[in-house]
Amino acid sequence: MALLRLRITGSEDDARAITDLLQSIEGIEHVEETDDLMPHMDDDDSSSAGLSDDIGPGIHELEVEVGNAYTAQRVRDAVQELALELDVFVEYEHDEG
């Protein structure tokens, strides 16, 4: 079993659309959106201190458990096609499990 990690730069709706797509692919064991575990601390002396951090697209991270390499490639192909349609950016990190 392999674990794919995806980082999506886009809106909540974009992330939800990609999650829905992933859940519809046969061979997917599990899809989960992971929270950002690193705290974002503003430096009081920073020029950006106190500014809103919700300007621009959000970052969403998904973990996808797939049964084999064939399914992993199907995930990449399907997500790439949808990402182009939605005009979002998707990065992958792949761990062998």
Side-chain angles (χ1 to χ4, degrees):
M1 185 165 331
L3 180 67
L4 293 173
R5 290 189 177 94
L6 289 74
R7 181 174 297 125
I8 302 162
T9 304
S11 70
E12 282 284 331
D13 290 338
D14 296 330
R16 191 174 308 111
I18 291 173
T19 300
D20 291 345
L21 170 71
L22 291 170
Q23 292 174 338
S24 72
I25 297 174
E26 189 173 330
I28 299 293
E29 304 290 331
H30 181 74
V31 178
E32 180 178 353
E33 184 165 3
T34 57
D35 291 332
D36 188 0
L37 301 176
M38 293 296 294
H40 296 281
M41 294 179 253
D42 285 336
D43 182 352
D44 291 335
D45 294 332
S46 172
S47 62
S48 62
L51 293 179
S52 174
D53 63 352
D54 63 356
I55 298 172
I59 304 293
H60 309 275
E61 296 187 11
L62 300 177
E63 287 186 351
V64 183
E65 289 182 31
V66 297
N68 54 46
Y70 174 76
T71 302
Q73 187 59 50
R74 287 182 54 213
V75 165
R76 286 186 203 95
D77 293 343
V79 169
Q80 179 180 356
E81 186 175 326
L82 183 56
L84 289 172
E85 288 179 31
L86 297 174
D87 196 28
V88 298
F89 184 72
V90 178
E91 299 174 85
Y92 297 91
E93 179 183 322
H94 181 259
D95 291 338
E96 289 297 325

